[in-house]
């Protein structure tokens, strides 16, 4: 750290993850791995975005258990709830409250351009609800309440972050200096992990084909089986190339979990076939995820301890969120 920064307050970080299914290797490499690393240097706030999850249909019992398990995975990854603020989004009502103020300062036209809305409404034509459409405004509220400098996310969230920045800038120009305009923090390797069955699509926990994604909690056997079945081309050369999306995705994954460069990976597998490579990727991923699963199995057993932690997290979060929310309300002209 340079000398002039010694007494400066640490920069702030905020991110959230939806409890919309089993968390995947894509979530881990695109976002969560960075969350773990960033807690060493920054003042971090992390949330389980349960309100976002109901933009697609969720069975109530499954949603409840996924909220618990997502919170427990954050702890199992090594995110320290004492050092950071780790909470469940719906426990802090300022998120939905601020999202109304922001909605009235966001244009229909700009929301209509969001690609995630287009993808998800095409996937669920029977449930194109208003919440799915205004999802990025709630996400902007999640972010702006905590005035973060950085928001660690995978590349698919870049467009939503740009909207959050636009909303913040517009609001500040209209009402005075209220929000910090955050920067996205997207990893160099692993920002966009693709489906193992269709490398044109991102790996997604809500994909019905279970062979297309690896869950953080999958067993070693399942992980190895899914990589063995991963779709590749017939050229049998382990090399990164635009016309080899399947193998390129596997190289990205292997390079992200082993911290080797792409050139090192290509050299390591020169002259070897796809079978050897797929097995090596499966083993490296399984070795990375095994200790997380082991810690998770312990943590999830004690619901009482989890409850204490998420309640404390919500209190810490609300303390910060309230200040920003009431400042915004006042500036807009509400009577407090
Ligand atoms: P869904 O698949 O249900 O739409 P999701 O996994 O895309 O959900 P979140 O759980 O909210 O959505 O994502 C949490 C974080 O994981 C975000 O920062 C997102 O950018 C990142 N992420 C999700 N999928 C991938 C992926 N395939 N590659 C890299 N990062 C990803
Ligand atoms: N939309 C995000 C999840 C999310 C989020 C946030 C990410 C909800 N609120 C705030 C960063 C900051 C997604 O990843 N699908």
């Amino acid at each position: 750290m340079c000398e002039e920064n010694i007494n400066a307050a640490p920069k702030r970080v905020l991110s959230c993850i939806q409890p919309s299914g089993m968390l995947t290797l894509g979530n881990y490499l695109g976002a969560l791995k960075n969350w773990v690393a960033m807690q060493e240097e920054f003042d971090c706030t992390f949330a389980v975005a349960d309100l976002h999850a109901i933009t697609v249909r969720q069975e109530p019992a499954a949603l409840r258990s996924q909220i618990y398990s997502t919170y427990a995975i954050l702890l199992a990854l090594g995110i320290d709830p004492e050092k950071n603020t780790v909470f469940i989004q719906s426990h802090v009502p300022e998120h939905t409250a601020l999202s109304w103020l922001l909605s009235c300062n966001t244009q229909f036209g700009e929301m209509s351009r969001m690609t995630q809305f287009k993808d998800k409404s095409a996937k669920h034509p029977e449930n194109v609800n208003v919440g799915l459409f205004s999802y990025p405004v709630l996400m902007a509220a999640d972010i702006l309440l905590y005035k973060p400098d950085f928001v660690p996310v995978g590349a698919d969230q870049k467009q939503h972050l740009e909207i959050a920045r636009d909303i913040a800038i517009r609001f500040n120009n209209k009402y005075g200096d209220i929000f910090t305009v955050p920067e996205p923090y997207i990893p160099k390797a692993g920002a966009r992990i693709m489906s193992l069955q269709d490398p044109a699509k991102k790996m997604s926990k809500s994909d019905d084909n279970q062979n297309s994604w690896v869950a953080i909690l999958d067993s070693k056997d399942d992980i190895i089986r899914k990589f063995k079945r991963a779709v590749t081309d017939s050229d049998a050369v382990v090399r990164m190339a635009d016309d080899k999306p399947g193998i390129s995705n596997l190289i990205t994954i292997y390079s992200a979990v082993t911290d080797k460069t792409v050139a090192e990976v290509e050299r390591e597998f020169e002259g070897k076939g796809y079978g050897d490579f797929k097995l090596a990727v499966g083993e490296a991923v399984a070795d990375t995820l095994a200790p997380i699963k082991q810690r998770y199995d312990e943590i999830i057993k004690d619901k009482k301890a989890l409850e204490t932690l998420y309640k404390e997290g919500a209190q810490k979060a609300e303390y910060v969120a309230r200040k920003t929310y009431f400042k915004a309300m006042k500036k807009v002209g509400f009577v407090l």
Side-chain angles (χ1 to χ4, degrees):
M1 191 188 272
C2 61
E3 219 172 294
E4 63 207 285
N5 275 340
I6 280 178
N7 293 320
K11 296 233 183 229
R12 281 186 296 269
V13 162
L14 173 124
S15 199
C16 305
I17 186 150
Q18 297 185 75
S20 49
M22 298 290 278
L23 299 197
T24 68
L25 181 66
N27 297 131
Y28 177 67
L29 295 178
L32 299 172
K33 197 176 167 200
N34 264 337
W35 296 17
V36 180
M38 289 175 104
Q39 64 176 339
E40 299 307 325
E41 195 181 337
F42 301 104
D43 173 3
C44 297
T45 301
F46 298 123
V48 175
D50 53 348
L51 295 169
H52 277 100
I54 64 160
T55 53
V56 300
R57 284 203 211 299
Q58 302 288 344
E59 203 270 302
L63 177 63
R64 198 168 298 121
S65 102
Q66 281 159 205
I67 294 170
Y68 274 114
S69 80
T70 305
Y71 193 93
I73 287 186
L74 299 186
L75 305 184
L77 286 166
I79 291 171
D80 179 351
E82 302 286 328
K83 194 164 176 288
N84 310 286
T85 300
V86 189
F87 70 105
I88 296 171
Q89 181 192 31
S90 64
H91 293 182
V92 180
E94 283 76 7
H95 289 241
T96 37
L98 181 67
S99 103
W100 178 252
L101 292 194
L102 302 183
S103 291
C104 297
N105 285 278
T106 304
Q107 299 305 305
F108 188 87
E110 56 188 339
M111 281 295 101
S112 310
R113 290 193 292 273
M114 297 293 108
T115 54
Q116 182 174 298
F117 172 70
K118 290 182 196 162
D119 293 349
K120 289 206 173 173
S121 50
K123 204 171 158 202
H124 305 279
E126 76 303 338
N127 184 23
V128 184
N129 61 77
V130 177
L132 187 63
F133 184 71
S134 62
Y135 175 117
V137 183
L138 179 59
M139 177 163 163
D142 298 339
I143 298 170
L144 301 179
L145 281 171
Y146 301 92
K147 303 187 173 177
D149 299 284
F150 302 113
V151 181
V153 283
D156 62 309
Q157 294 301 313
K158 198 161 178 260
Q159 197 184 30
H160 290 163
L161 261 171
E162 274 157 17
I163 274 283
R165 286 168 53 89
D166 291 347
I167 295 173
I169 293 168
R170 199 175 314 136
F171 210 95
N172 285 349
N173 286 341
K174 210 159 159 190
Y175 299 111
D177 208 13
I178 301 168
F179 301 126
T180 301
V181 181
E183 294 292 333
Y185 192 101
I186 296 172
K188 285 199 186 73
R192 196 166 162 77
I193 301 298
M194 309 312 280
S195 154
L196 298 184
Q197 291 298 312
D198 177 1
K201 290 199 312 202
K202 78 160 191 169
M203 181 181 284
S204 165
K205 56 175 131 75
S206 44
D207 195 320
D208 298 332
N209 182 349
Q210 302 217 349
N211 286 325
S212 73
W213 46 270
V214 167
I216 293 180
L217 299 179
D218 270 348
S219 68
K220 182 166 187 169
D221 287 353
D222 281 343
I223 295 173
I224 290 180
R225 182 177 46 77
K226 288 180 187 181
F227 278 106
K228 270 191 188 153
R229 290 189 184 172
V231 169
T232 46
D233 51 73
S234 51
D235 152 62
V237 180
V238 178
R239 183 171 43 83
M240 192 79 122
D242 286 346
D243 60 346
K244 292 162 70 71
I247 212 73
S248 298
N249 188 38
L250 298 186
I251 294 175
T252 302
I253 293 172
Y254 188 70
S255 136
V257 294
T258 58
D259 285 326
K260 292 178 183 167
T261 64
V262 169
E264 282 167 346
V265 178
E266 288 174 345
R267 220 170 304 124
E268 186 178 343
F269 290 94
E270 219 173 288
K272 295 193 182 139
Y274 283 173
D276 289 344
F277 180 53
K278 285 180 174 180
L279 185 63
V281 183
E283 296 210 324
V285 169
D287 289 347
T288 304
L289 299 181
I292 301 170
K293 181 172 160 48
Q294 209 176 3
R295 281 196 295 272
Y296 172 85
D297 289 340
E298 282 305 308
I299 292 168
I300 199 69
K301 281 189 210 149
D302 192 347
K303 289 263 166 66
K304 265 266 156 284
L306 272 181
E307 190 180 323
T308 307
L309 292 174
Y310 67 62
K311 285 192 168 158
E312 279 171 13
Q315 272 178 4
K316 283 201 266 179
E318 191 162 19
Y319 179 79
V320 179
R322 270 177 78 84
K323 284 197 201 165
T324 316
Y325 172 64
F326 283 110
K327 186 169 176 193
M329 285 289 279
K330 193 169 165 195
K331 296 270 191 183
V332 173
F334 287 97
V335 176
L336 302 181

